[in-house]
Amino acid sequence: MNQKTHSCQQKLRISRDALEVIQGKWRLPIVLALTFGNKRFGELQRDISDISPKMLSQELKALEENKIITRTLYDSMPVVVEYSLTPLGHSMKKLLDEILIWGAHFRKEVLKS
Amino acid sequence: MNQKTHSCQQKLRISRDALEVIQGKWRLPIVLALTFGNKRFGELQRDISDISPKMLSQELKALEENKIITRTLYDSMPVVVEYSLTPLGHSMKKLLDEILIWGAHFRKEVLKS
DNA sequence: GTAACTACTTACCATTGGGTAACTACTATA
DNA sequence: TATAGTAGTTACCCAATGGTAAGTAGTTAC
């Protein structure tokens, strides 16, 4: 096995680790929304307009487990919950930027709109 | 709706366009493998070791439809098919790089291995 | 007391994504 | 004649993904 093949294999392994975490219809959109500042459940639901509370709750939990976001409960009246990015979450900004850059490019080239 | 909210909405739309194309367990790995040079069906199958011929065939078709890869048939004996990146495919390199950088970071921080 | 807002949870259902195994069709080689 | 290599296709199945609708629990405003 030569250098190139070895490097290819290694990169494929890393990409699959990353993909497991960012897979799914909603995870990156949620992280993206949180790059605009900390938000509450209802705010996220309004921003990501067609996500259901079930999916939002489920995906927030998964992101929390993967240490990408933090859930903070403020014991005020009424009870308020705030979601924010962890340092690991913030470290996704460049990745998100590149997805947006490529997405805009793709839209222009293929979707033609 | 203020500037910030507007920008957030727009970025969310773009991210979802991009995600539709790169979603799934195999698409990015296939593109990544092809950044190492043009490859044939069997080579891809060997590189991405646990992909089945069904999934490889299916995902190659989807990538071709989205103008990310090109399928070239060489009418030699035996018949040889080569897959390569289009310019749009090549434009994903930065995105892939960032995924690899983040993936390595994530591995270090969370998977601890 | 009732409606509305906070943040969810639960039950149920349909679709899709992906896996396995076998099969096709053609050619070259032993 | 049989085996192996080219590049897939097809049928069948299961589990995960995601959607819908309704319910929960507490507080506040009318």
Side-chain angles (χ1 to χ4, degrees):
Chain A
M1 181 154 50
N2 60 30
Q3 269 306 137
K4 203 172 176 180
T5 308
H6 180 74
S7 162
C8 179
Q9 293 292 326
Q10 192 185 4
K11 290 193 176 182
L12 282 169
R13 249 180 292 122
I14 295 175
S15 75
R16 292 186 54 187
D17 286 346
L19 285 174
E20 258 184 47
V21 184
I22 65 177
Q23 265 308 356
K25 196 171 172 182
W26 303 114
R27 294 191 189 174
L28 285 181
I30 290 170
V31 175
L32 181 60
L34 289 175
T35 63
F36 288 86
N38 301 353
K39 294 190 174 172
R40 300 190 309 183
F41 193 90
E43 284 181 278
L44 284 168
Q45 216 181 156
R46 260 169 271 127
D47 282 353
I48 309 169
S49 52
D50 42 4
I51 194 170
S52 65
K54 172 193 149 185
M55 289 309 297
L56 183 52
S57 169
Q58 181 182 303
E59 297 306 279
L60 285 169
K61 264 176 206 152
L63 288 169
E64 209 193 340
E65 273 168 26
N66 284 314
K67 319 248 185 237
I68 289 166
I69 65 170
T70 304
R71 188 189 126 112
T72 311
L73 182 94
Y74 293 102
D75 220 352
S76 52
M77 314 280 175
V79 63
V80 160
V81 179
E82 196 175 71
Y83 294 93
S84 56
L85 295 180
T86 62
L88 185 61
H90 282 291
S91 76
M92 292 177 75
K93 277 184 181 171
K94 275 191 186 171
L95 164 49
L96 288 169
D97 279 345
E98 288 300 334
I99 286 177
L100 291 172
I101 291 168
W102 187 83
H105 181 59
F106 174 75
R107 194 173 198 147
K108 208 177 60 189
E109 294 288 307
V110 178
L111 303 179
K112 315 259 183 213
S113 62
Chain B
M1 183 152 51
N2 60 29
Q3 267 308 139
K4 203 171 177 180
T5 309
H6 180 74
S7 161
C8 180
Q9 293 293 326
Q10 191 184 6
K11 290 192 176 181
L12 281 169
R13 248 181 291 122
I14 295 175
S15 76
R16 293 190 52 189
D17 286 346
L19 284 174
E20 258 183 47
V21 184
I22 64 177
Q23 264 311 352
K25 194 171 173 183
W26 302 114
R27 294 192 188 173
L28 285 180
I30 290 169
V31 175
L32 181 59
L34 289 176
T35 63
F36 288 86
N38 301 353
K39 294 190 174 172
R40 300 190 309 186
F41 193 89
E43 284 182 278
L44 285 168
Q45 216 180 156
R46 260 169 273 129
D47 282 353
I48 309 170
S49 53
D50 42 3
I51 194 171
S52 65
K54 171 193 149 184
M55 288 309 296
L56 183 52
S57 169
Q58 181 182 303
E59 298 306 279
L60 285 169
K61 264 177 205 153
L63 289 169
E64 208 192 340
E65 273 169 26
N66 284 315
K67 320 252 185 233
I68 289 165
I69 65 171
T70 304
R71 189 188 124 114
T72 312
L73 182 93
Y74 293 102
D75 220 352
S76 53
M77 314 279 174
V79 63
V80 160
V81 179
E82 195 175 71
Y83 293 93
S84 55
L85 295 180
T86 62
L88 185 61
H90 282 290
S91 76
M92 292 178 74
K93 276 184 182 171
K94 276 191 185 171
L95 165 50
L96 288 168
D97 280 345
E98 288 301 334
I99 287 178
L100 291 171
I101 290 168
W102 187 82
H105 181 58
F106 175 74
R107 192 173 200 146
K108 207 178 60 187
E109 295 288 309
V110 178
L111 304 180
K112 313 259 183 215
S113 63

